[in-house]
């Protein structure tokens, strides 16, 4: 694996999941793989889980992680080629990225979308410019449109649950991605990425449910069943993934905050005692109810804890290839 920016960088999802679960069973089994190597973790936006789990993953492989909060502590970066830098940006990525490429062996970057201009955000300029100019492997810690480390974690967690409680022979798990209300317009990254990975994994009946006009980009959802009827979608579900996203077509808007879309135990009663997932952070009693988050169906802590093993498997693949 050279870079890790989407599911397309992964030759075999099942093999990567197996590798991650092997690290969970024995975290230090490759503790010399990254000896003498450094990973730069660049954050243009806030993070808790991604920042901590990726540092732990790197250290488990013997690598030294160095965190740089570019958004708060660094020079404001310019990403447009041929920009006349007479505004607020101070340093061009064309100048900064090759230096980081000499400081580090792997560069990992978190950026968020502006949610103002869909074409700009969906061009993934920031991560593409780092790939173009850094000259070393680049890992997405969440980009403008995707969150692949989160999605790998989600597939790992689903596999883990299915191994612990197998379904009857021949029955595929039903996985439902449901939109949830939120007070702020959020990116589509997690929902896009989850859809992309579940579709590529290909081992589930996948249903997406959201209010009218909240359709995601078809390039990620194609293959899923899409419905505006949340209650019908939830019937017989084995896993329910809860996430808010802002509108894609009329980009970055909130059309509704209908609290009826928040998952409750009553709504969950039509599922097959479904496990409930969320990438976190979550706004309690807006996006997801206390009774679900504090109840037996929630696997959000297990899911977030698995972020270490997803990151470790990805870094291991990159280190092994270089
Ligand atoms: N799920 C996730 O990426 O969490 P952080 O934003 O805290 O890293």
């Amino acid at each position: 694996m050279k870079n890790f920016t989407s599911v397309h960088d992964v030759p075999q999802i099942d093999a990567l999941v197996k590798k991650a679960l092997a690290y969970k069973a024995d975290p230090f089994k490759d503790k010399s793989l990254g000896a003498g190597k450094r990973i730069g973790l660049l954050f243009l936006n806030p993070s808790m889980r991604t920042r901590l789990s990726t540092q732990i993953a790197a250290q488990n492989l013997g690598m030294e992680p160095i965190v740089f909060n570019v958004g708060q502590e660094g020079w404001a970066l310019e990403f447009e080629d041929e920009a006349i830098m007479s505004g607020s940006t101070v340093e061009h990525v064309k100048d900064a990225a090759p230096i980081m490429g000499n400081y580090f062996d792997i560069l990992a970057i978190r950026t968020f979308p502006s949610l103002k201009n869909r074409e700009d955000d969906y061009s993934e300029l920031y991560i593409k410019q780092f790939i173009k100019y850094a000259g070393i492997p680049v890992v997405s810690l969440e980009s403008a449109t995707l969150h692949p480390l989160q999605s790998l974690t989600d597939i790992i967690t689903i596999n883990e649950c299915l191994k612990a409680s197998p379904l009857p022979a021949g029955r595929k798990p039903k996985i439902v991605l449901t939109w949830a209300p939120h007070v702020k317009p959020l990116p589509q990254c997690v929902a896009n990425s989850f859809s992309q990975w579940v579709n590529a994994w290909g081992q589930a009946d996948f249903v997406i449910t959201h209010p009218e006009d909240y359709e995601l980009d078809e390039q990620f959802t194609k293959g899923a069943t899409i419905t505006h009827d949340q209650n019908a979608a939830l019937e017989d579900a084995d896993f329910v993934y809860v996430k808010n996203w802002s509108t894609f077509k009329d980009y970055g808007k909130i059309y509704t905050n209908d609290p009826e879309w928040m998952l409750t135990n009553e709504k969950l009663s039509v599922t097959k005692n479904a496990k409930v997932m969320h990438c976190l952070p979550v706004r309690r009693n807006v996006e997801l109810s206390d009774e679900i988050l504090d109840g037996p169906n929630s696997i959000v802590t297990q899911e977030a804890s698995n972020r270490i093993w997803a990151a470790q498997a990805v870094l291991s693949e990159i280190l092994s290839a270089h």
Side-chain angles (χ1 to χ4, degrees), residues 89-104:
T89 54
V90 178
E91 181 161 31
H92 202 285
V93 67
K94 193 189 278 197
D95 301 312
I99 299 166
M100 294 180 194
N102 286 341
Y103 290 167
F104 300 115

PDB file of all heavy atoms in Angstrom, residues 89-104:
ATOM      1  N   THR A  89      -2.983  33.567   3.362  1.00  0.00           N
ATOM      2  CA  THR A  89      -2.094  32.398   3.382  1.00  0.00           C
ATOM      3  C   THR A  89      -0.631  32.848   3.330  1.00  0.00           C
ATOM      4  O   THR A  89      -0.292  33.820   2.661  1.00  0.00           O
ATOM      5  CB  THR A  89      -2.398  31.439   2.218  1.00  0.00           C
ATOM      6  OG1 THR A  89      -2.345  32.159   0.991  1.00  0.00           O
ATOM      7  CG2 THR A  89      -3.768  30.802   2.385  1.00  0.00           C
ATOM      8  N   VAL A  90       0.233  32.094   4.055  1.00  0.00           N
ATOM      9  CA  VAL A  90       1.619  32.523   4.255  1.00  0.00           C
ATOM     10  C   VAL A  90       2.606  31.618   3.531  1.00  0.00           C
ATOM     11  O   VAL A  90       3.660  32.064   3.083  1.00  0.00           O
ATOM     12  CB  VAL A  90       1.943  32.530   5.776  1.00  0.00           C
ATOM     13  CG1 VAL A  90       3.391  32.911   6.043  1.00  0.00           C
ATOM     14  CG2 VAL A  90       0.994  33.457   6.521  1.00  0.00           C
ATOM     15  N   GLU A  91       2.269  30.321   3.434  1.00  0.00           N
ATOM     16  CA  GLU A  91       3.206  29.356   2.856  1.00  0.00           C
ATOM     17  C   GLU A  91       2.454  28.417   1.921  1.00  0.00           C
ATOM     18  O   GLU A  91       1.352  27.942   2.251  1.00  0.00           O
ATOM     19  CB  GLU A  91       3.880  28.541   3.975  1.00  0.00           C
ATOM     20  CG  GLU A  91       4.883  27.529   3.452  1.00  0.00           C
ATOM     21  CD  GLU A  91       5.867  27.063   4.509  1.00  0.00           C
ATOM     22  OE1 GLU A  91       5.488  27.026   5.690  1.00  0.00           O
ATOM     23  OE2 GLU A  91       7.009  26.739   4.144  1.00  0.00           O
ATOM     24  N   HIS A  92       3.059  28.148   0.759  1.00  0.00           N
ATOM     25  CA  HIS A  92       2.404  27.254  -0.209  1.00  0.00           C
ATOM     26  C   HIS A  92       2.737  25.800   0.126  1.00  0.00           C
ATOM     27  O   HIS A  92       3.862  25.500   0.535  1.00  0.00           O
ATOM     28  CB  HIS A  92       2.865  27.575  -1.633  1.00  0.00           C
ATOM     29  CG  HIS A  92       1.897  27.093  -2.672  1.00  0.00           C
ATOM     30  ND1 HIS A  92       1.776  25.773  -3.020  1.00  0.00           N
ATOM     31  CD2 HIS A  92       0.962  27.766  -3.388  1.00  0.00           C
ATOM     32  CE1 HIS A  92       0.827  25.646  -3.943  1.00  0.00           C
ATOM     33  NE2 HIS A  92       0.312  26.841  -4.182  1.00  0.00           N
ATOM     34  N   VAL A  93       1.753  24.936  -0.059  1.00  0.00           N
ATOM     35  CA  VAL A  93       1.967  23.506   0.195  1.00  0.00           C
ATOM     36  C   VAL A  93       3.118  22.974  -0.662  1.00  0.00           C
ATOM     37  O   VAL A  93       3.835  22.052  -0.264  1.00  0.00           O
ATOM     38  CB  VAL A  93       0.654  22.703  -0.025  1.00  0.00           C
ATOM     39  CG1 VAL A  93       0.236  22.713  -1.485  1.00  0.00           C
ATOM     40  CG2 VAL A  93       0.777  21.276   0.491  1.00  0.00           C
ATOM     41  N   LYS A  94       3.336  23.606  -1.817  1.00  0.00           N
ATOM     42  CA  LYS A  94       4.415  23.196  -2.728  1.00  0.00           C
ATOM     43  C   LYS A  94       5.781  23.385  -2.057  1.00  0.00           C
ATOM     44  O   LYS A  94       6.749  22.685  -2.360  1.00  0.00           O
ATOM     45  CB  LYS A  94       4.317  24.078  -3.986  1.00  0.00           C
ATOM     46  CG  LYS A  94       5.135  23.628  -5.152  1.00  0.00           C
ATOM     47  CD  LYS A  94       5.128  24.680  -6.254  1.00  0.00           C
ATOM     48  CE  LYS A  94       3.905  24.606  -7.121  1.00  0.00           C
ATOM     49  NZ  LYS A  94       4.102  25.335  -8.408  1.00  0.00           N
ATOM     50  N   ASP A  95       5.860  24.353  -1.136  1.00  0.00           N
ATOM     51  CA  ASP A  95       7.107  24.596  -0.400  1.00  0.00           C
ATOM     52  C   ASP A  95       7.157  23.793   0.899  1.00  0.00           C
ATOM     53  O   ASP A  95       8.212  23.283   1.274  1.00  0.00           O
ATOM     54  CB  ASP A  95       7.243  26.093  -0.070  1.00  0.00           C
ATOM     55  CG  ASP A  95       7.237  26.946  -1.316  1.00  0.00           C
ATOM     56  OD1 ASP A  95       7.977  26.591  -2.258  1.00  0.00           O
ATOM     57  OD2 ASP A  95       6.472  27.919  -1.366  1.00  0.00           O
ATOM     58  N   ALA A  96       6.008  23.684   1.584  1.00  0.00           N
ATOM     59  CA  ALA A  96       5.991  23.032   2.900  1.00  0.00           C
ATOM     60  C   ALA A  96       6.050  21.508   2.795  1.00  0.00           C
ATOM     61  O   ALA A  96       6.764  20.858   3.577  1.00  0.00           O
ATOM     62  CB  ALA A  96       4.721  23.448   3.664  1.00  0.00           C
ATOM     63  N   ALA A  97       5.312  20.929   1.853  1.00  0.00           N
ATOM     64  CA  ALA A  97       5.171  19.464   1.811  1.00  0.00           C
ATOM     65  C   ALA A  97       6.503  18.741   1.547  1.00  0.00           C
ATOM     66  O   ALA A  97       6.781  17.721   2.196  1.00  0.00           O
ATOM     67  CB  ALA A  97       4.108  19.063   0.792  1.00  0.00           C
ATOM     68  N   PRO A  98       7.362  19.223   0.625  1.00  0.00           N
ATOM     69  CA  PRO A  98       8.634  18.504   0.416  1.00  0.00           C
ATOM     70  C   PRO A  98       9.525  18.521   1.659  1.00  0.00           C
ATOM     71  O   PRO A  98      10.289  17.582   1.884  1.00  0.00           O
ATOM     72  CB  PRO A  98       9.305  19.282  -0.728  1.00  0.00           C
ATOM     73  CG  PRO A  98       8.243  20.094  -1.354  1.00  0.00           C
ATOM     74  CD  PRO A  98       7.204  20.347  -0.301  1.00  0.00           C
ATOM     75  N   ILE A  99       9.433  19.589   2.465  1.00  0.00           N
ATOM     76  CA  ILE A  99      10.219  19.648   3.706  1.00  0.00           C
ATOM     77  C   ILE A  99       9.716  18.562   4.660  1.00  0.00           C
ATOM     78  O   ILE A  99      10.507  17.800   5.230  1.00  0.00           O
ATOM     79  CB  ILE A  99      10.107  21.051   4.347  1.00  0.00           C
ATOM     80  CG1 ILE A  99      10.660  22.106   3.385  1.00  0.00           C
ATOM     81  CG2 ILE A  99      10.840  21.098   5.683  1.00  0.00           C
ATOM     82  CD1 ILE A  99      10.305  23.524   3.757  1.00  0.00           C
ATOM     83  N   MET A 100       8.392  18.491   4.792  1.00  0.00           N
ATOM     84  CA  MET A 100       7.822  17.430   5.641  1.00  0.00           C
ATOM     85  C   MET A 100       8.192  16.052   5.088  1.00  0.00           C
ATOM     86  O   MET A 100       8.414  15.119   5.848  1.00  0.00           O
ATOM     87  CB  MET A 100       6.308  17.586   5.715  1.00  0.00           C
ATOM     88  CG  MET A 100       5.897  18.854   6.433  1.00  0.00           C
ATOM     89  SD  MET A 100       4.128  18.987   6.500  1.00  0.00           S
ATOM     90  CE  MET A 100       3.941  20.697   6.967  1.00  0.00           C
ATOM     91  N   GLY A 101       8.265  15.956   3.784  1.00  0.00           N
ATOM     92  CA  GLY A 101       8.666  14.692   3.146  1.00  0.00           C
ATOM     93  C   GLY A 101      10.081  14.293   3.525  1.00  0.00           C
ATOM     94  O   GLY A 101      10.410  13.104   3.541  1.00  0.00           O
ATOM     95  N   ASN A 102      10.928  15.290   3.831  1.00  0.00           N
ATOM     96  CA  ASN A 102      12.292  14.986   4.286  1.00  0.00           C
ATOM     97  C   ASN A 102      12.347  14.732   5.789  1.00  0.00           C
ATOM     98  O   ASN A 102      13.208  13.992   6.262  1.00  0.00           O
ATOM     99  CB  ASN A 102      13.243  16.133   3.924  1.00  0.00           C
ATOM    100  CG  ASN A 102      13.559  16.145   2.441  1.00  0.00           C
ATOM    101  OD1 ASN A 102      13.369  15.138   1.747  1.00  0.00           O
ATOM    102  ND2 ASN A 102      14.015  17.271   1.924  1.00  0.00           N
ATOM    103  N   TYR A 103      11.441  15.345   6.543  1.00  0.00           N
ATOM    104  CA  TYR A 103      11.421  15.134   8.000  1.00  0.00           C
ATOM    105  C   TYR A 103      10.851  13.758   8.374  1.00  0.00           C
ATOM    106  O   TYR A 103      11.230  13.189   9.389  1.00  0.00           O
ATOM    107  CB  TYR A 103      10.538  16.188   8.676  1.00  0.00           C
ATOM    108  CG  TYR A 103      11.058  17.611   8.695  1.00  0.00           C
ATOM    109  CD1 TYR A 103      10.204  18.651   9.033  1.00  0.00           C
ATOM    110  CD2 TYR A 103      12.382  17.928   8.395  1.00  0.00           C
ATOM    111  CE1 TYR A 103      10.650  19.971   9.072  1.00  0.00           C
ATOM    112  CE2 TYR A 103      12.826  19.238   8.419  1.00  0.00           C
ATOM    113  CZ  TYR A 103      11.962  20.249   8.763  1.00  0.00           C
ATOM    114  OH  TYR A 103      12.396  21.554   8.799  1.00  0.00           O
ATOM    115  N   PHE A 104       9.866  13.305   7.575  1.00  0.00           N
ATOM    116  CA  PHE A 104       9.091  12.120   7.969  1.00  0.00           C
ATOM    117  C   PHE A 104       9.212  10.991   6.941  1.00  0.00           C
ATOM    118  O   PHE A 104       9.631  11.216   5.799  1.00  0.00           O
ATOM    119  CB  PHE A 104       7.604  12.495   8.114  1.00  0.00           C
ATOM    120  CG  PHE A 104       7.358  13.562   9.153  1.00  0.00           C
ATOM    121  CD1 PHE A 104       6.867  14.812   8.792  1.00  0.00           C
ATOM    122  CD2 PHE A 104       7.607  13.312  10.490  1.00  0.00           C
ATOM    123  CE1 PHE A 104       6.637  15.792   9.742  1.00  0.00           C
ATOM    124  CE2 PHE A 104       7.382  14.289  11.457  1.00  0.00           C
ATOM    125  CZ  PHE A 104       6.896  15.536  11.079  1.00  0.00           C
TER     126      PHE A 104
END
